Amino acid sequence: MSSFKTTCCYCGVGCGIVVHRDRQGKLSLEGDKDHPVNRGMLCSKGMNLHYTVMDTSDRLLHPEMRYHRNAPRMRVSWEQALDRTAAVFRSIINRYGPDAVAFYASGQCLTEEYYVVNKLIKGFIGSNNIDTNSRLCMSSAVAAYKMSLGEDAVPGTYDDIELADCIFVAGANPAWCHPILWRRIEAAKAANPALRIIVSDPRVTQSCASADLHLQLNPGTDIVLHHAIGRLLIEQGFTDKDFIHQHTEGFTRYRDAVMQRSIAEAAIICGIPEQQLYEAAALIGPSKGFMTMWTMGLNQSAVGVSKNLSLINLHLITGKIGQPGNGPFSLTGQPNAMGGRETGGLANLLPAHRLLDDPTHRAEVQAFWGGTTISDKPGLTATDMFSALQSGSLKAIWIMGSNPLVSLPDARAMEAALQKASFVVVQEISSKPETLKYADVVLPAAAWAEKEGTMTNAERRISYLSKITEAPGEALPDAEIICRFAQKMGYKGFDYAHAGEIYDEHCRLTAGTRIDISSLSYKILQECRSIQWPYKNGQGTARLFTDHLFYTKHQKAVIHTVGDENTSEAHNEDFPLILTTGRIRDQWHTMSKTGKVSKLKQHIASSFLEIHPRDAEARHLRQDDLVVVSSPRGQVRVKTKISTDIKPGVVFLPMHWGKILQNDLNRANNLTNNLTDPISRQPDLKFATVEVTKYRKP
Ligand code: SF4
């Protein structure tokens, strides 16, 4: 029996795992008791991760290719697949320019994979057309951190949980979506009965079970809620005047703005009792340790950046930031969304959080890579990439480890875009994802435990992942696939002998930046297993801004005054209900991994529509009735789950289902729209207008 220490590849909590491999190659696993994140605990998804690797029945084993759209794909060698892909890319770039090609990657990619694909497109092809499904997850939080604190950096650490006495969970259900973090919060509450938990969510979720106060607000009213709490904190004398004066800008304007709306009016807009706003302020104001935690309820919105800023403002007006137990803490959905941003793996970024619009930053990276001139034109973001395919300005797309036909909004429009593309490359582990239908070239990739590398979790902790077993068939690690392709294109600087060489190059490129890990190395990470950036003098950094010097121009945090209106799709008589989408406990994304594990289907086996009894009664619906959910864009057919856990006027669909396990009539994104936040370009996945009717056989 051999044992390997590694990291869970599902969510951004980043739990440590010990995997055991017996002589027959059979895997088993347990939580790593020595890991600072999970201390031996694992959730249902992490506990069953090894089954996703041992079951290879769905895996892509060989490269495949077709010469025209209507032909079947045939098995080919790696040489044939990469030679043809390079020839097509060269031809498109020569004819239409470098911006006619794009890469769409994943927050599941390892940092080394992000690094090489970003280097390839920005540094050698000469386009910034790389974006990832992290755009659907974190981009609003990233923009808000930069605007308010001057850097895309979570200020705190998970150890703040045990030091806080008030935790405000806004637009998140960590009990299901970040389960191990939630267990730490529950344990902290058990140890410290004074710890108070506030949850804001239009649904009664599992997280509400442990909450002292549930603010069941109307969808899209988060800013009104945060502003009302801000007003009460000001009126009741809970602001920190010295902190505001010395370390912030913008307070007066903010105060004047939040005073415009009365508490009574705010309560009506939010759809909650007025008294609850006073209760929230009474819990937050006197707390010595105040943490906010949030995810998609704030981020996936047409006003996602403003929602984030309005929440961060509660810390800035009270000075509850940069001290143990305090701070705004965005929970990362994906396991390596943060590592991807460290390498600059988004359409508007350069490595080490350098800025694309800064000529000095472009010159630094270009000199380091030694490739072509880095374009100053921002690349296409996720939804724009697919719109550009539809309009014809983008010709070729390379999709790495993502299933956009289930995860992107307005799925049928995305499908039409892929149909229109001249050339589609899909680099995947599984033969199941819907996106493969449109692939001209399929490249089989190695999965978790079949390759090594690093990831960064939500608390800036970089963790090492071990290779434990061989990939099936001819599947290769993603970084190796990209490097082989780059060499076929004739580019220098992609002949790495090992993932560690890529990571060490990434570390060197961070020198002099705020996320400096230039003295860190792959070897150090293999030995210590995890460390929080920045890394200096042989030490990681648990908390940022402890000196209250922020990374903005004047070293002061900026209190942004934002409007409180929601700019989501407007209701009308035909579509009077608000659809919100989200996760269930035991599934991950579009189920290409968790969908293989029978144990994980036992919790919730199929998709459903959660609807309030009042809305069900008005439509003559009963429990488990088959219904058609319609929006201006499409339909979904599912059974009802009638429940008072959801607000009247709101319905909920899980986001996971597509064609993999059932047909595309379960795909929630048939209904969603492609509105995005104007700053972050994150889609408004939590708000679409729909109607529900009983299904009648044609
Ligand atoms: Fe994996 Fe997240 Fe569960 Fe931890 S909480 S075991 S990282 S899915």
Side-chain angles (χ1 to χ4, degrees), residues 161-190:
I161 290 169
E162 287 82 16
L163 301 172
D165 52 13
C166 181
I167 299 177
F168 180 6
V169 178
N173 180 16
W176 278 16
C177 307
H178 298 84
I180 296 307
L181 215 53
W182 192 250
R183 278 191 224 166
R184 281 186 62 166
I185 292 172
E186 287 181 323
K189 192 165 168 61

Side-chain angles (χ1 to χ4, degrees), residues 8-15 17 38 41-47 177-181:
C8 179
C9 66
Y10 283 125
C11 82
V13 176
C15 296
I17 295 180
N38 55 315
M41 297 181 285
L42 288 178
C43 76
S44 52
K45 293 186 285 282
M47 233 181 280
C177 307
H178 298 84
I180 296 307
L181 215 53

Side-chain angles (χ1 to χ4, degrees), residues 59-77:
R59 294 292 298 275
L60 289 166
L61 301 177
H62 314 283
E64 294 174 8
M65 202 165 81
R66 65 181 169 202
Y67 283 96
H68 61 85
R69 266 293 148 86
N70 299 323
R73 281 193 306 265
M74 296 175 304
R75 175 178 171 177
V76 292
S77 69

Side-chain angles (χ1 to χ4, degrees), residues 134-141 296 299-302 675-677 679-685:
S134 298
R135 180 72 58 188
L136 318 181
C137 173
M138 291 295 297
S139 45
S140 294
M296 305 314 149
N299 293 342
Q300 291 180 333
S301 165
L675 272 179
T676 57
D677 180 281
I679 299 171
S680 69
R681 308 297 288 161
Q682 181 154 356
D684 196 19
L685 286 162

Side-chain angles (χ1 to χ4, degrees), residues 266-516:
I268 291 167
I269 294 170
C270 294
I272 59 175
E274 190 179 338
Q275 180 56 28
Q276 288 192 343
L277 291 168
Y278 288 91
E279 287 173 32
L283 295 178
I284 295 167
S287 63
K288 299 279 177 272
F290 172 51
M291 291 181 81
T292 51
M293 292 182 168
W294 70 96
T295 53
M296 305 314 149
L298 301 196
N299 293 342
Q300 291 180 333
S301 165
V303 288
V305 176
S306 295
K307 284 184 180 181
N308 274 261
L309 289 169
S310 65
L311 188 69
I312 293 171
N313 284 346
L314 301 183
H315 292 273
L316 300 182
I317 63 171
T318 55
K320 296 179 193 295
I321 186 168
Q323 308 153 29
N326 284 281
F329 201 121
S330 72
L331 301 179
T332 312
Q334 300 212 68
N336 199 30
M338 193 177 288
R341 302 200 300 279
E342 287 157 25
T343 69
L346 284 173
N348 52 332
L349 279 182
L350 286 175
H353 293 189
R354 288 179 179 88
L355 304 172
L356 198 59
D357 58 8
D358 185 326
T360 311
H361 288 183
R362 290 200 303 277
E364 280 170 6
V365 178
Q366 189 181 327
F368 185 89
W369 281 340
T372 189
T373 303
I374 294 176
S375 169
D376 61 355
K377 183 179 160 199
L380 295 164
T381 57
T383 50
D384 292 339
M385 219 173 248
F386 285 78
S387 304
L389 284 174
Q390 178 72 319
S391 71
S393 58
L394 183 65
K395 304 290 177 194
I397 188 164
W398 184 318
I399 298 166
M400 278 175 76
S402 190
N403 189 12
L405 289 192
V406 179
S407 53
L408 280 175
D410 196 1
R412 294 197 191 283
M414 301 301 152
E415 205 152 3
L418 279 187
Q419 262 163 2
K420 191 101 186 277
S422 305
F423 192 62
V424 178
V425 181
V426 176
Q427 183 171 324
E428 243 300 328
I429 59 170
S430 170
S431 61
K432 301 281 186 184
E434 290 74 354
T435 311
L436 283 161
K437 182 175 161 192
Y438 299 98
D440 298 294
V441 175
V442 171
L443 304 174
W448 176 82
E450 297 165 357
K451 58 184 180 180
E452 63 173 304
T454 62
M455 285 186 172
T456 308
N457 76 355
E459 58 164 358
R460 293 175 280 103
R461 181 177 296 280
I462 308 162
S463 289
Y464 173 70
L465 288 89
S466 307
K467 178 176 175 182
I468 297 161
T469 187
E470 292 302 322
E474 296 175 12
L476 290 175
D478 292 87
E480 187 175 338
I481 298 171
I482 295 297
C483 289
R484 283 193 189 192
F485 170 76
Q487 290 176 67
K488 292 281 183 200
M489 293 287 284
Y491 302 142
K492 303 272 184 258
F494 289 87
D495 51 349
Y496 305 98
H498 184 266
E501 286 189 6
I502 304 174
Y503 192 76
D504 289 346
E505 183 177 309
H506 159 60
C507 290
R508 289 196 297 278
L509 188 46
T510 66
T513 68
R514 294 213 179 88
I515 67 164
D516 196 334

Side-chain angles (χ1 to χ4, degrees), residues 202-205 216 608-617 621-624 640-652:
R203 301 171 63 221
V204 182
T205 65
Q216 196 172 6
F608 59 90
L609 180 84
E610 194 171 81
I611 184 167
H612 191 272
R614 194 195 75 183
D615 295 319
E617 194 182 343
L621 302 175
R622 289 185 300 196
Q623 193 76 295
D624 290 327
T640 54
K641 180 183 166 208
I642 299 174
S643 168
T644 51
D645 286 348
I646 194 154
K647 255 184 124 64
V650 186
V651 291
F652 170 83

